[in-house]
Amino acid sequence: MEEEEALGNAVILEGVGYNFARDFLFNRLLSAHSEASYLQMQVLLHTLQSSCDKDVILNILGVLTDLLSLGTDRRIHYLISKGGSEALLQALANAARAEPPAADAALLPLLRLLARVGRRDRKFGLKVQRLEATDVILSLARKNLGHHLNLTHCLWVLRVCASSVTAGTALGINGAMELLFKVITPYSKRHVRTVRAAVEALAALLKSKSNSRRAVNRGYLRGLLRLYQDWHHNDVSNNYVHIRRGLLICLKHITNIQLGRETFLDSCGMEILFTSVQDCLSCKNLDPIVTTVTQILRKCYPKEPLPLPTVRSSYSFSLPGNVRTEPPCMLLEDDYESDGEEEVEKDLDNDDDETKEEDDDLETDVNKLRSRPVLDRPEEELKQYEAVCPELSHNFQELESESEEEKSSEDNTENLPSTPSYFIRSATSVKHQNIQRTQSVTVMGPDPGEEDLKVPLQSWTKKEKCRRAQITEKRHIVESVQDADSLEEEDMARSHVLTLCPLPKEIAWYKKMFNTECEASINPSPGGRLKTSDMVRNLLKKHQGNMPFHSPCFYIARAECVKSIPDYKFLAFPDFWGHQPPPYGKPMLERKYGVQRDKVLDDVRRLIQPGDVIGRTVFDLDEPSNSSLGAPDCLTFFSKFESGNLRKAIQVREFEYDLIMNADVNSNQHHQWFYFEVRDMKLAVPYRFNIINCEKFNSQFNYGMQLVMYSVKEALQGRPHWLRVGYDISYYKNHYRSCAAAAGGMRRKSYYTLAFSITFPHEDDVCYLAYHYPYTYSTMMSHLDILEQNRNPKKVYWRQQTLCQTLGGNPCPLLTITAMPESKKRDDLEQFYNRPYVFLMARVHPGESNASWVMKGTLEFLVSSDPIADLLRRCFIFKIVPMLNPDGVINGNHRCSLSGDDLNRQWLTPSSQLHPTIYHTKGLLYYLRSIGRTPLVFCDYHGHSQKKNVFLYGCSIKETLWQAGCMVDTAVITEDVGYRTLPKILDKVAPPFVMNSCSFLVEKSRESTARVVAWQEMGILRSYTMESTYCGCNHGLYKGLQLGTQELEEMGSKFCLGLLILHLKSLPCSKKVMAQAALLLDLEEEITDLRAHRSSSNSSLETDDEPPCVEEIDYNTDSCSDGEGDFSELDKEIQECLSQVEEETEDEGATTGQTCSSKVLRGLYTSSQPAANNMALPLRSVPLGMYSGFESSPA
């Protein structure tokens, strides 16, 4: 029945007039059921291919035109799925063979349909090749060289075909480029629409590298440069921007190959484009021109290695056991300097997996996702970790009978006149100033009653010796502080001596600040030592002691015990003096429009106008003798202090410097963290700094983030703040590459530039610049000393032990914090021993200093007198490793330890020799699991450089499988969804936390991280990585603000509050605990409701991607982000052409044999977007003038 109906439609097409047939079939196709519609479409397409009747073909084309002009692209895709592309191509081949005028009548509507359908058919290029239609299209174009309207339509189809690399290559072989170069003329107001179509078709052809190579060999690149110059100079009214930009896109594609870049440079292309773009910078309408020129210039800038002897770190460390670390394997982007031979063309049409790229890393093996409690070491080795769990066997009956050594240590501490003591604030209180309390340091070592154990790198065999060693260390710190007035004399007798970096040289300022005539105090001797201790004494007297949990004396004492590769001799002033959060929040920096292109063009100016480039090395960590220290009219740099990182500084111009960061120790990569001193600046002068060896592809510096600065003069005037500073900040790909020899035989990698400008607040100041708020190892150790001193020992159970020694010989501290038992009664002691564990750790990546600030907030809350903290301590036992990678932090690394390894990728099989902190932390987790005390929560504090807010990564089998598109049998795969409870709580109580940014997917590339290993091997359901942004928040209370240290510390305290609420929701609690919690949390719930109300007005689903900047950020210069692949402009061009043809036809009063009405044609290409005003002059039906400026040469 349906076949008969379809045949009837074919009879209608042949037997009746166009209007009746069109309306009849159009209505039936729209109203028919799917099966009947399918058969009717098949008949239409079959008739279109086989019929020779002009009227039938025109009728079918009219029906298809009307059908596709309504609705969305779904109809076009439906037509494609039923073979519409093939039918139109076959009809085009038939029309090309037909004799005029029969062929001419159907040609234009057929070409328009092909352009409309073909650009949405991903396989169109392959179909063109399979049907051998390339020759047909080229033949039609050649036949119509003298007829501009037909030629323009042919060029539109040619452009669509060339969008496929394989079809474009075939067209190039068959002479398509030669044809197009006959059409593209120098500047003329005639036939601009045809010229534009030819230029855009040529740009599509040149995406093929073989076509680009052919164009270079035949001299077309130089011709394109001449054409661009001609159109640029003559188009003074900017009416033909599309043609100028099209020519630039042609150049962009040609320069994707090395031969093209070399020819471009030889043809003075850099100078031509750089000069021409200067005329366009002031006109925002010419931004497409400026953007494309910038991309070409940056890509063609001659590649060169960094001005370093080697990309490997300036520091090296001999590993134990003669272990040698090979250069790390890296997945690097393609090196565009390596070609020169014929590349294998990639047909993008065959790539159907574009949307699956981000899911390829997901683990889909259910057996690997399930918990697998296996050991990576002998089980008997776990018993050694009993020594670091004294809380499980402590005999509180002997609580008051402490050893004489402990009492002696306490007595020494109690008598400290200069030791600061602080009120440990509550969670909601502000930082109080110095409020004296009489507290003592309680030094706790391992329980002497435990058996002797053997731990690699950390001996527990002699408990009393270890105990005495810890007490001796504490006494050494106490004595150092006690003798602060004679600090200098005592230092001289020690082997490890530290001094402050010299203060500002301005004598008048020094006299005013310290009221002293001692000029020698501020001038170091040639050997680097201070002549007297007056400066240190004056500084300690001037220090007001109003920085909670910081003491310069404690810091110096701890810093002198640090072991570093460079053997630091100087202290950075901010770490010595301390930091107070500023009294105000800093909004995210608004990105200045055009800042990136200005930086790139300024870099290009160095190449083509090198006359003003100084090129003087003013600081060099590798060759200090090469540094121009104290040179006039230049800044002085320094970085040889704890956590410092600056390898080289080069003065480019008077107020511009290129800076190079040092790689991680025993590595040749991981350049992100920087921390250095700069002095001798002028007042009210903008200095530009370019850090030229960044590695990350993207950065929050492009989205409102600023670096931080600390001014010594400001600090000594009572404003000791790390402040967010910098303007004109941009992060972009530069022209530096690592050479193969320097990279250890690996493929070359690209570098990125972080460019920023600073106007310093004072002349001849000493300022420190850093990637983020620094937090050194010595800062942490002195902070732990002060916390231990100021805790309430009657309420807070505190044990600070050494988990192990690091590779560099520095102790890695392990903390145990909980509440003291309420009494010595059996029930209270049993409640103490049975508290669930929470395991926290931070700073496995040294450059993520924000993680340490969050940890600082957690620690201060846990030992505070806040009632909520007291209740929390009674609910949990906290095991905390506050700094997992001390060596990396000390030596200024960004990601690795001294072994050159990323420690957060070593959790599957850590080495006791190379990764001792990971090995023993994992061993402690194994031990807790083996005695049935698996932690309830495991959280690893990190920092995130490419996202905003604070969020958690967790682990879920079902969510991973669902995201990967796998079928999940809920009857077989069961999962406790309790891993989502804590993030949901934090979303309500912590202002910077965003639940929608959290992820619970398990990736293959993360299987060796702490989060995944603790989840799989230890069976910890709530195993998390907490990521804190370096930048700020785009959600909630802190929306639009950059996070400071106060907000990061608050996040640490709010995490504790979240743990308490989790305990109340997830675990059975006594009536007493529930009653106290209900009383304490009323206020918190009110605050939570208020914050929820505030954030509800501006909350939205967060995505991983940043919103677009006002200016397009093109990190990779070889990307195709110029928009030439967008065919919306082609739709507009076709619509304008049709409208103009209709007007000309109505003016002439003739239809010239066209059966379809112009109104139908206009409806075919109605765009959803408003068409841009085309300034091109009307075309007239006269033959095109042929441009003879190109002479073909043999390929």
Side-chain angles (χ1 to χ4, degrees), residues 409 413 424 439-445 470 474 477 549 554 558 781-793 796 798-801 815 859 863:
S409 175
T413 308
I424 299 181
Q439 291 294 340
S440 62
V441 174
T442 305
V443 181
M444 298 292 184
Q470 285 189 315
K474 296 283 184 179
I477 295 170
F549 311 106
F554 271 55
R558 277 297 185 179
M781 296 299 288
S782 60
H783 182 239
L784 297 183
D785 293 334
I786 295 174
L787 286 179
E788 184 173 6
Q789 173 190 348
N790 286 273
R791 70 184 176 89
N792 185 345
V796 180
W798 169 287
R799 293 293 183 274
Q800 179 179 338
Q801 299 169 281
L815 305 178
L859 292 174
V863 300

mmCIF file of all heavy atoms in Angstrom, residues 409 413 424 439-445 470 474 477 549 554 558 781-793 796 798-801 815 859 863:
data_model
loop_
_atom_site.group_PDB
_atom_site.id
_atom_site.type_symbol
_atom_site.label_atom_id
_atom_site.label_comp_id
_atom_site.label_asym_id
_atom_site.label_seq_id
_atom_site.Cartn_x
_atom_site.Cartn_y
_atom_site.Cartn_z
ATOM 1 N N SER A 409 62.028 20.291 81.011
ATOM 2 C CA SER A 409 61.723 21.007 79.761
ATOM 3 C C SER A 409 60.600 21.995 79.978
ATOM 4 O O SER A 409 60.623 23.120 79.475
ATOM 5 C CB SER A 409 61.364 20.000 78.663
ATOM 6 O OG SER A 409 60.968 20.668 77.506
ATOM 7 N N THR A 413 60.500 26.252 79.730
ATOM 8 C CA THR A 413 59.556 26.960 78.882
ATOM 9 C C THR A 413 58.748 27.976 79.676
ATOM 10 O O THR A 413 58.455 29.069 79.202
ATOM 11 C CB THR A 413 58.599 25.950 78.217
ATOM 12 O OG1 THR A 413 59.387 24.956 77.587
ATOM 13 C CG2 THR A 413 57.719 26.632 77.192
ATOM 14 N N ILE A 424 43.988 30.618 72.013
ATOM 15 C CA ILE A 424 43.610 29.885 70.804
ATOM 16 C C ILE A 424 42.130 30.128 70.562
ATOM 17 O O ILE A 424 41.279 29.703 71.336
ATOM 18 C CB ILE A 424 43.924 28.395 70.947
ATOM 19 C CG1 ILE A 424 45.440 28.229 71.169
ATOM 20 C CG2 ILE A 424 43.480 27.632 69.735
ATOM 21 C CD1 ILE A 424 45.887 26.809 71.304
ATOM 22 N N GLN A 439 50.888 28.618 80.223
ATOM 23 C CA GLN A 439 50.827 27.241 79.729
ATOM 24 C C GLN A 439 52.248 26.739 79.559
ATOM 25 O O GLN A 439 53.191 27.506 79.395
ATOM 26 C CB GLN A 439 50.081 27.156 78.390
ATOM 27 C CG GLN A 439 48.598 27.446 78.492
ATOM 28 C CD GLN A 439 47.871 26.406 79.302
ATOM 29 O OE1 GLN A 439 48.371 25.305 79.474
ATOM 30 N NE2 GLN A 439 46.711 26.754 79.831
ATOM 31 N N SER A 440 52.391 25.459 79.534
ATOM 32 C CA SER A 440 53.725 24.878 79.410
ATOM 33 C C SER A 440 53.791 23.922 78.247
ATOM 34 O O SER A 440 52.783 23.359 77.839
ATOM 35 C CB SER A 440 54.096 24.131 80.702
ATOM 36 O OG SER A 440 53.190 23.075 80.917
ATOM 37 N N VAL A 441 54.983 23.763 77.727
ATOM 38 C CA VAL A 441 55.200 22.794 76.649
ATOM 39 C C VAL A 441 55.274 21.413 77.255
ATOM 40 O O VAL A 441 56.071 21.160 78.158
ATOM 41 C CB VAL A 441 56.508 23.110 75.887
ATOM 42 C CG1 VAL A 441 56.793 22.034 74.872
ATOM 43 C CG2 VAL A 441 56.384 24.458 75.196
ATOM 44 N N THR A 442 54.462 20.528 76.786
ATOM 45 C CA THR A 442 54.490 19.139 77.242
ATOM 46 C C THR A 442 55.091 18.296 76.143
ATOM 47 O O THR A 442 54.528 18.186 75.064
ATOM 48 C CB THR A 442 53.079 18.633 77.575
ATOM 49 O OG1 THR A 442 52.504 19.526 78.531
ATOM 50 C CG2 THR A 442 53.111 17.228 78.125
ATOM 51 N N VAL A 443 56.216 17.726 76.404
ATOM 52 C CA VAL A 443 56.935 16.952 75.390
ATOM 53 C C VAL A 443 56.599 15.489 75.584
ATOM 54 O O VAL A 443 56.872 14.915 76.638
ATOM 55 C CB VAL A 443 58.453 17.179 75.498
ATOM 56 C CG1 VAL A 443 59.169 16.399 74.426
ATOM 57 C CG2 VAL A 443 58.756 18.661 75.384
ATOM 58 N N MET A 444 55.991 14.914 74.594
ATOM 59 C CA MET A 444 55.560 13.518 74.687
ATOM 60 C C MET A 444 56.296 12.693 73.650
ATOM 61 O O MET A 444 56.236 12.983 72.468
ATOM 62 C CB MET A 444 54.043 13.406 74.460
ATOM 63 C CG MET A 444 53.216 14.165 75.500
ATOM 64 S SD MET A 444 53.345 13.407 77.106
ATOM 65 C CE MET A 444 52.196 14.408 78.040
ATOM 66 N N GLY A 445 56.950 11.669 74.065
ATOM 67 C CA GLY A 445 57.588 10.739 73.148
ATOM 68 C C GLY A 445 56.814 9.452 73.107
ATOM 69 O O GLY A 445 55.733 9.338 73.676
ATOM 70 N N GLN A 470 63.941 13.694 71.455
ATOM 71 C CA GLN A 470 62.888 14.670 71.221
ATOM 72 C C GLN A 470 62.913 15.774 72.274
ATOM 73 O O GLN A 470 62.734 16.954 71.965
ATOM 74 C CB GLN A 470 61.522 13.977 71.244
ATOM 75 C CG GLN A 470 61.252 13.175 69.980
ATOM 76 C CD GLN A 470 59.822 12.698 69.934
ATOM 77 O OE1 GLN A 470 59.296 12.202 70.925
ATOM 78 N NE2 GLN A 470 59.194 12.846 68.797
ATOM 79 N N LYS A 474 63.506 19.809 71.744
ATOM 80 C CA LYS A 474 62.641 20.841 72.279
ATOM 81 C C LYS A 474 63.431 21.821 73.149
ATOM 82 O O LYS A 474 63.240 23.029 73.074
ATOM 83 C CB LYS A 474 61.526 20.217 73.122
ATOM 84 C CG LYS A 474 60.581 19.339 72.340
ATOM 85 C CD LYS A 474 59.618 20.177 71.552
ATOM 86 C CE LYS A 474 58.602 19.279 70.855
ATOM 87 N NZ LYS A 474 57.614 20.052 70.096
ATOM 88 N N ILE A 477 65.331 24.278 71.107
ATOM 89 C CA ILE A 477 64.488 25.369 70.606
ATOM 90 C C ILE A 477 64.196 26.367 71.713
ATOM 91 O O ILE A 477 64.277 27.583 71.539
ATOM 92 C CB ILE A 477 63.180 24.791 70.036
ATOM 93 C CG1 ILE A 477 63.492 23.933 68.805
ATOM 94 C CG2 ILE A 477 62.214 25.907 69.663
ATOM 95 C CD1 ILE A 477 62.312 23.146 68.322
ATOM 96 N N PHE A 549 50.068 32.862 66.793
ATOM 97 C CA PHE A 549 50.747 31.621 66.440
ATOM 98 C C PHE A 549 52.001 31.855 65.593
ATOM 99 O O PHE A 549 52.344 31.032 64.763
ATOM 100 C CB PHE A 549 49.794 30.671 65.711
ATOM 101 C CG PHE A 549 48.487 30.506 66.422
ATOM 102 C CD1 PHE A 549 47.336 31.092 65.938
ATOM 103 C CD2 PHE A 549 48.406 29.777 67.601
ATOM 104 C CE1 PHE A 549 46.129 30.961 66.606
ATOM 105 C CE2 PHE A 549 47.212 29.645 68.278
ATOM 106 C CZ PHE A 549 46.070 30.229 67.786
ATOM 107 N N PHE A 554 61.067 31.643 67.575
ATOM 108 C CA PHE A 554 60.786 30.239 67.304
ATOM 109 C C PHE A 554 61.141 29.897 65.857
ATOM 110 O O PHE A 554 61.661 28.824 65.577
ATOM 111 C CB PHE A 554 59.301 29.932 67.583
ATOM 112 C CG PHE A 554 59.021 29.519 69.001
ATOM 113 C CD1 PHE A 554 59.408 30.328 70.053
ATOM 114 C CD2 PHE A 554 58.373 28.331 69.272
ATOM 115 C CE1 PHE A 554 59.148 29.959 71.369
ATOM 116 C CE2 PHE A 554 58.110 27.952 70.574
ATOM 117 C CZ PHE A 554 58.498 28.765 71.633
ATOM 118 N N ARG A 558 63.874 27.062 64.604
ATOM 119 C CA ARG A 558 63.503 25.941 63.742
ATOM 120 C C ARG A 558 64.244 25.982 62.401
ATOM 121 O O ARG A 558 64.669 24.962 61.882
ATOM 122 C CB ARG A 558 61.993 25.941 63.507
ATOM 123 C CG ARG A 558 61.201 25.279 64.608
ATOM 124 C CD ARG A 558 61.540 23.818 64.721
ATOM 125 N NE ARG A 558 60.713 23.128 65.699
ATOM 126 C CZ ARG A 558 60.821 21.824 65.960
ATOM 127 N NH1 ARG A 558 61.734 21.108 65.339
ATOM 128 N NH2 ARG A 558 60.049 21.248 66.862
ATOM 129 N N MET A 781 56.869 24.006 61.487
ATOM 130 C CA MET A 781 57.440 23.445 62.708
ATOM 131 C C MET A 781 57.321 24.424 63.876
ATOM 132 O O MET A 781 56.988 24.018 65.008
ATOM 133 C CB MET A 781 58.898 23.075 62.461
ATOM 134 C CG MET A 781 59.094 21.970 61.430
ATOM 135 S SD MET A 781 58.318 20.398 61.876
ATOM 136 C CE MET A 781 59.391 19.857 63.197
ATOM 137 N N SER A 782 57.586 25.694 63.639
ATOM 138 C CA SER A 782 57.439 26.678 64.724
ATOM 139 C C SER A 782 55.973 26.853 65.107
ATOM 140 O O SER A 782 55.644 27.077 66.279
ATOM 141 C CB SER A 782 58.051 28.016 64.315
ATOM 142 O OG SER A 782 57.405 28.543 63.155
ATOM 143 N N HIS A 783 55.087 26.713 64.146
ATOM 144 C CA HIS A 783 53.657 26.792 64.444
ATOM 145 C C HIS A 783 53.229 25.636 65.337
ATOM 146 O O HIS A 783 52.455 25.817 66.300
ATOM 147 C CB HIS A 783 52.870 26.769 63.132
ATOM 148 C CG HIS A 783 51.392 26.882 63.303
ATOM 149 N ND1 HIS A 783 50.517 25.919 62.855
ATOM 150 C CD2 HIS A 783 50.620 27.833 63.888
ATOM 151 C CE1 HIS A 783 49.278 26.277 63.144
ATOM 152 N NE2 HIS A 783 49.314 27.433 63.763
ATOM 153 N N LEU A 784 53.745 24.440 65.071
ATOM 154 C CA LEU A 784 53.423 23.294 65.922
ATOM 155 C C LEU A 784 53.964 23.501 67.334
ATOM 156 O O LEU A 784 53.309 23.129 68.327
ATOM 157 C CB LEU A 784 54.004 22.011 65.317
ATOM 158 C CG LEU A 784 53.457 21.587 63.950
ATOM 159 C CD1 LEU A 784 54.079 20.264 63.508
ATOM 160 C CD2 LEU A 784 51.944 21.476 63.960
ATOM 161 N N ASP A 785 55.150 24.099 67.441
ATOM 162 C CA ASP A 785 55.697 24.366 68.774
ATOM 163 C C ASP A 785 54.782 25.288 69.572
ATOM 164 O O ASP A 785 54.518 25.061 70.758
ATOM 165 C CB ASP A 785 57.085 25.004 68.648
ATOM 166 C CG ASP A 785 58.108 24.047 68.054
ATOM 167 O OD1 ASP A 785 57.916 22.823 68.190
ATOM 168 O OD2 ASP A 785 59.094 24.516 67.460
ATOM 169 N N ILE A 786 54.300 26.332 68.910
ATOM 170 C CA ILE A 786 53.453 27.302 69.606
ATOM 171 C C ILE A 786 52.099 26.691 69.944
ATOM 172 O O ILE A 786 51.549 26.920 71.035
ATOM 173 C CB ILE A 786 53.302 28.568 68.748
ATOM 174 C CG1 ILE A 786 54.663 29.256 68.590
ATOM 175 C CG2 ILE A 786 52.299 29.529 69.363
ATOM 176 C CD1 ILE A 786 54.657 30.431 67.643
ATOM 177 N N LEU A 787 51.540 25.899 69.051
ATOM 178 C CA LEU A 787 50.266 25.238 69.349
ATOM 179 C C LEU A 787 50.410 24.302 70.536
ATOM 180 O O LEU A 787 49.537 24.252 71.425
ATOM 181 C CB LEU A 787 49.790 24.450 68.122
ATOM 182 C CG LEU A 787 49.230 25.241 66.945
ATOM 183 C CD1 LEU A 787 48.829 24.293 65.823
ATOM 184 C CD2 LEU A 787 48.032 26.075 67.369
ATOM 185 N N GLU A 788 51.496 23.564 70.557
ATOM 186 C CA GLU A 788 51.701 22.630 71.658
ATOM 187 C C GLU A 788 51.865 23.376 72.982
ATOM 188 O O GLU A 788 51.363 22.948 74.018
ATOM 189 C CB GLU A 788 52.935 21.773 71.380
ATOM 190 C CG GLU A 788 53.180 20.700 72.420
ATOM 191 C CD GLU A 788 54.307 19.770 72.034
ATOM 192 O OE1 GLU A 788 54.977 20.033 71.018
ATOM 193 O OE2 GLU A 788 54.525 18.788 72.757
ATOM 194 N N GLN A 789 52.542 24.514 72.925
ATOM 195 C CA GLN A 789 52.746 25.290 74.140
ATOM 196 C C GLN A 789 51.442 25.871 74.665
ATOM 197 O O GLN A 789 51.227 25.934 75.870
ATOM 198 C CB GLN A 789 53.735 26.415 73.859
ATOM 199 C CG GLN A 789 53.898 27.392 75.014
ATOM 200 C CD GLN A 789 54.697 28.613 74.627
ATOM 201 O OE1 GLN A 789 55.317 28.642 73.570
ATOM 202 N NE2 GLN A 789 54.670 29.630 75.477
ATOM 203 N N ASN A 790 50.568 26.283 73.772
ATOM 204 C CA ASN A 790 49.384 27.029 74.177
ATOM 205 C C ASN A 790 48.127 26.177 74.327
ATOM 206 O O ASN A 790 47.078 26.704 74.657
ATOM 207 C CB ASN A 790 49.117 28.143 73.169
ATOM 208 C CG ASN A 790 50.099 29.276 73.302
ATOM 209 O OD1 ASN A 790 49.923 30.192 74.080
ATOM 210 N ND2 ASN A 790 51.179 29.199 72.525
ATOM 211 N N ARG A 791 48.221 24.907 74.085
ATOM 212 C CA ARG A 791 47.039 24.069 74.264
ATOM 213 C C ARG A 791 46.742 23.906 75.746
ATOM 214 O O ARG A 791 47.592 24.171 76.611
ATOM 215 C CB ARG A 791 47.279 22.694 73.634
ATOM 216 C CG ARG A 791 48.286 21.874 74.407
ATOM 217 C CD ARG A 791 48.609 20.558 73.745
ATOM 218 N NE ARG A 791 49.653 19.867 74.491
ATOM 219 C CZ ARG A 791 49.439 19.027 75.503
ATOM 220 N NH1 ARG A 791 48.203 18.781 75.900
ATOM 221 N NH2 ARG A 791 50.444 18.446 76.114
ATOM 222 N N ASN A 792 45.554 23.467 76.021
ATOM 223 C CA ASN A 792 45.164 23.139 77.395
ATOM 224 C C ASN A 792 45.398 21.648 77.611
ATOM 225 O O ASN A 792 44.616 20.826 77.136
ATOM 226 C CB ASN A 792 43.699 23.488 77.620
ATOM 227 C CG ASN A 792 43.262 23.285 79.065
ATOM 228 O OD1 ASN A 792 43.950 22.638 79.850
ATOM 229 N ND2 ASN A 792 42.112 23.839 79.411
ATOM 230 N N PRO A 793 46.461 21.256 78.308
ATOM 231 C CA PRO A 793 46.779 19.828 78.416
ATOM 232 C C PRO A 793 45.736 19.034 79.185
ATOM 233 O O PRO A 793 45.697 17.813 79.078
ATOM 234 C CB PRO A 793 48.135 19.827 79.142
ATOM 235 C CG PRO A 793 48.177 21.110 79.895
ATOM 236 C CD PRO A 793 47.415 22.104 79.062
ATOM 237 N N VAL A 796 43.199 18.790 75.904
ATOM 238 C CA VAL A 796 43.678 18.407 74.570
ATOM 239 C C VAL A 796 44.778 17.368 74.695
ATOM 240 O O VAL A 796 45.810 17.612 75.346
ATOM 241 C CB VAL A 796 44.208 19.630 73.794
ATOM 242 C CG1 VAL A 796 44.689 19.211 72.415
ATOM 243 C CG2 VAL A 796 43.142 20.709 73.696
ATOM 244 N N TRP A 798 47.637 15.727 72.918
ATOM 245 C CA TRP A 798 48.506 16.131 71.803
ATOM 246 C C TRP A 798 49.770 15.278 71.825
ATOM 247 O O TRP A 798 50.452 15.199 72.850
ATOM 248 C CB TRP A 798 48.856 17.607 71.942
ATOM 249 C CG TRP A 798 49.949 18.114 71.028
ATOM 250 C CD1 TRP A 798 51.287 17.867 71.133
ATOM 251 C CD2 TRP A 798 49.805 18.957 69.895
ATOM 252 N NE1 TRP A 798 51.980 18.499 70.141
ATOM 253 C CE2 TRP A 798 51.093 19.182 69.354
ATOM 254 C CE3 TRP A 798 48.707 19.559 69.271
ATOM 255 C CZ2 TRP A 798 51.315 19.978 68.237
ATOM 256 C CZ3 TRP A 798 48.925 20.347 68.162
ATOM 257 C CH2 TRP A 798 50.205 20.558 67.646
ATOM 258 N N ARG A 799 50.076 14.649 70.720
ATOM 259 C CA ARG A 799 51.338 13.942 70.573
ATOM 260 C C ARG A 799 51.960 14.351 69.246
ATOM 261 O O ARG A 799 51.342 14.198 68.193
ATOM 262 C CB ARG A 799 51.144 12.420 70.592
ATOM 263 C CG ARG A 799 50.686 11.855 71.914
ATOM 264 C CD ARG A 799 51.753 11.997 72.989
ATOM 265 N NE ARG A 799 51.327 11.381 74.243
ATOM 266 C CZ ARG A 799 50.606 11.981 75.163
ATOM 267 N NH1 ARG A 799 50.192 13.228 74.967
ATOM 268 N NH2 ARG A 799 50.282 11.358 76.275
ATOM 269 N N GLN A 800 53.168 14.874 69.319
ATOM 270 C CA GLN A 800 53.918 15.180 68.106
ATOM 271 C C GLN A 800 55.101 14.237 68.041
ATOM 272 O O GLN A 800 55.993 14.289 68.886
ATOM 273 C CB GLN A 800 54.393 16.636 68.098
ATOM 274 C CG GLN A 800 55.195 16.990 66.851
ATOM 275 C CD GLN A 800 55.635 18.434 66.833
ATOM 276 O OE1 GLN A 800 55.045 19.277 67.510
ATOM 277 N NE2 GLN A 800 56.681 18.739 66.073
ATOM 278 N N GLN A 801 55.093 13.376 67.035
ATOM 279 C CA GLN A 801 56.154 12.394 66.860
ATOM 280 C C GLN A 801 56.757 12.544 65.473
ATOM 281 O O GLN A 801 56.193 13.215 64.597
ATOM 282 C CB GLN A 801 55.589 10.976 67.036
ATOM 283 C CG GLN A 801 54.997 10.729 68.417
ATOM 284 C CD GLN A 801 54.210 9.437 68.465
ATOM 285 O OE1 GLN A 801 53.078 9.378 68.016
ATOM 286 N NE2 GLN A 801 54.841 8.395 69.001
ATOM 287 N N LEU A 815 51.131 14.056 63.945
ATOM 288 C CA LEU A 815 50.377 14.567 65.086
ATOM 289 C C LEU A 815 49.231 13.628 65.436
ATOM 290 O O LEU A 815 48.601 13.039 64.547
ATOM 291 C CB LEU A 815 49.804 15.956 64.783
ATOM 292 C CG LEU A 815 50.787 17.042 64.331
ATOM 293 C CD1 LEU A 815 50.031 18.323 64.022
ATOM 294 C CD2 LEU A 815 51.847 17.283 65.387
ATOM 295 N N LEU A 859 44.324 22.766 62.293
ATOM 296 C CA LEU A 859 45.074 22.513 63.524
ATOM 297 C C LEU A 859 44.703 23.509 64.617
ATOM 298 O O LEU A 859 44.522 23.124 65.787
ATOM 299 C CB LEU A 859 46.574 22.576 63.237
ATOM 300 C CG LEU A 859 47.139 21.460 62.347
ATOM 301 C CD1 LEU A 859 48.600 21.729 62.024
ATOM 302 C CD2 LEU A 859 46.979 20.106 63.015
ATOM 303 N N VAL A 863 42.865 22.413 68.420
ATOM 304 C CA VAL A 863 43.431 22.596 69.760
ATOM 305 C C VAL A 863 42.830 23.799 70.468
ATOM 306 O O VAL A 863 43.283 24.169 71.555
ATOM 307 C CB VAL A 863 44.968 22.735 69.686
ATOM 308 C CG1 VAL A 863 45.579 21.497 69.083
ATOM 309 C CG2 VAL A 863 45.367 23.969 68.902
#
